[in-house]
Amino acid sequence: MNKSEPRVFSILKIVKDILVENEKFDEETKTLDGHEIIIRANLDLTIDFAKAETYGAKGVGLYRSEYLFKGANKYPSEEEQIENYSKIGKIVGENGVNIRTFDLSIDQLDKEIGDRQSNPALGLRGIRLSLTEKTEFRTQIRAILQASFEHKINIVLPMISSVSEILEAKKIFEEEKQALISKNIKIGDPKIGVMIEVPSMVYLLPAIAHRVDFVSVGTNDLTQYLLAVDRNNSRVADVYESMHPAVLLALKQIHDVCHQYQVPVCICGELAGDPFGALLLLGLGY
């Protein structure tokens, strides 16, 4: 494999080679005992989906909407967002796309808006920033609602750490939905999911199970926060271990709770892109 290819292509090849019974690629990627394994792409760029699809990707599990900033350090317009979300929605078709709302820290915004944080990973970022910059969050919600009119598009909320954040985000969603309906603007009906990447949510899953439509486990940040290690700090790289027993126990608990409450759950993160990690996740029930 070319080293420049994203890991998603690597794991798709691995699954195709060792989990599918037929020598020819089977669109219903199944284990030998008949369990279907649905693999989706994680994308920044819309153009990357075509290649992922050739290896069997079914839709987009996570679309990183913050790519729209493209170094501009300012929020994209509503029109630009509608165009972009509609484009990826059209490309993926019935398999759908989960659009993660802006997962940014305030440091990444224009200097007139943001300020420097000593520890961005623990600061004003993800849903915390969205609920602070509510005007821009409402703009993004409106854009997703409109883009979902003829496309299968869902919403994923990043860095959720409390039930109140979900309630506030859903309140904004409903307000913008009703406002668009009152103006006779055509909209879809996106499902709302949350990223489980902050340890507090591992314990609060039973409390939010009836409030969300699905769960996406962000293994990268979950590992970082569980082990108190900066995954971008080379000096502690040996401490960052995605297969640490505590991480695996958390993943097992998340799966079991979601299964108990019948909440769809998927994995998002580098662990799913690791050949051994992918098989380990299958063993945990994902």
Side-chain angles (χ1 to χ4, degrees), residues 46-64:
T46 302
I47 58 174
D48 286 340
F49 181 69
K51 190 169 186 179
E53 191 173 32
T54 64
Y55 290 117
K58 291 189 175 182
V60 175
L62 187 78
Y63 182 74
R64 303 180 183 90

Side-chain angles (χ1 to χ4, degrees), residues 185-217:
I185 296 176
K186 295 179 179 179
I187 61 173
D189 188 26
K191 294 181 179 179
I192 299 179
V194 296
M195 297 291 298
I196 302 298
E197 47 198 345
V198 178
S200 60
M201 297 314 297
V202 177
Y203 300 100
L204 290 178
L205 263 176
I208 69 167
H210 64 291
R211 304 181 190 277
V212 300
D213 296 309
F214 64 95
V215 162
S216 181
V217 186

Side-chain angles (χ1 to χ4, degrees), residues 118-135:
S118 59
N119 193 338
L122 300 178
L124 192 59
R125 58 162 289 203
I127 194 65
R128 299 172 182 175
L129 181 59
S130 293
L131 295 179
T132 299
E133 302 284 341
K134 289 183 181 177
T135 298

